[in-house]
Amino acid sequence: MTTSASVPAGPEGAIVRDGTVTDRLVDANERYAAAFTDPGMDARPVLHVAIVACMDARLDLHAALGLELGDCHTIRNAGGVVTDDVIRSLTISQRKLGTRSIVLIHHTGCGLEAITEDFRTELEMEVGQRPAWAVESFRDVDQDVRQSMQRVRTSPFLLHTDDVRGFVFDVRTGLLREIDPA
């Protein structure tokens, strides 16, 4: 597998190979599709688990957790925080697609620890409109995992909140550290 670290970078660090980054992705998809065989899977995850994690490019969730295609639902956003949209996805995952367990994964060195809610004000000054969404920045990753677990456990839309566990992934060691919800 080629990583972005081994691909020539162009302006602003963008990966360039015979066109844009998107062109490269489309070319890769064509090669993938040429060898693709329909696995005959259902949309229901085999392990009945939904994972909410940060979008950070350093987290290879399938490799880190020993997952295969079809094992889980994966919901990712900046910080891996439980927002209304995450609750929406988890609700559909549980009520329509049979998941029962929820795993929350934040990580060390998250970019949300380096910004504040002032980012919304900066955007408003730049574009003339304040974003409706919260940044959900934090200073204490463990506490943010606890808050996310609490949001899941108290949601009236989720049927299964007895198996909700939260972790911090260490980007230097690859290890998960479980967070006590207390």
Side-chain angles (χ1 to χ4, degrees):
M1 171 184 263
T2 302
T3 65
S4 58
S6 63
V7 176
E12 303 295 320
I15 300 167
V16 198
R17 183 190 286 168
D18 302 322
T20 68
V21 173
T22 304
D23 292 334
R24 178 177 165 233
L25 298 175
V26 171
D27 290 345
N29 175 256
E30 288 173 3
R31 290 188 299 279
Y32 172 81
F36 182 77
T37 304
D38 179 0
M41 292 180 173
D42 175 294
R44 296 172 179 271
V46 172
L47 298 178
H48 306 286
V49 64
I51 299 170
V52 178
C54 184
M55 65 185 190
D56 192 292
R58 297 171 290 181
L59 276 67
D60 182 350
L61 294 174
H62 277 73
L65 302 174
L67 296 167
E68 299 293 330
L69 182 66
D71 281 349
C72 68
H73 283 158
T74 306
I75 304 159
R76 295 182 79 157
N77 67 18
V81 295
V82 176
T83 60
D84 286 347
D85 195 56
V86 168
I87 294 293
R88 171 189 163 269
S89 294
L90 289 172
T91 301
I92 293 167
S93 178
Q94 284 191 352
R95 291 179 175 263
K96 297 299 181 185
L97 297 166
T99 59
R100 298 290 180 264
S101 300
I102 298 172
V103 174
L104 307 173
I105 301 177
H106 288 37
H107 65 91
T108 59
C110 185
L112 284 184
E113 292 174 292
I115 63 176
T116 68
E117 292 296 322
D118 291 338
F119 180 62
R120 295 172 71 222
T121 304
E122 294 166 11
L123 286 172
E124 180 179 20
M125 298 302 292
E126 180 182 330
V127 303
Q129 180 178 343
R130 187 174 186 84
W133 39 263
V135 174
E136 297 279 352
S137 60
F138 54 88
R139 294 286 174 257
D140 180 340
V141 68
D142 290 18
Q143 182 55 35
D144 202 60
V145 171
R146 285 185 198 95
Q147 177 177 299
S148 289
M149 285 191 281
Q150 185 64 17
R151 285 179 178 174
V152 168
R153 288 191 173 115
T154 59
S155 173
F157 306 110
L158 298 174
L159 296 171
H160 307 284
T161 58
D162 54 323
D163 188 12
V164 177
R165 294 172 65 185
F167 300 86
V168 173
F169 177 87
D170 188 314
V171 297
R172 294 183 189 262
T173 67
L175 289 172
L176 289 176
R177 178 173 51 82
E178 188 157 10
I179 301 302
D180 183 353

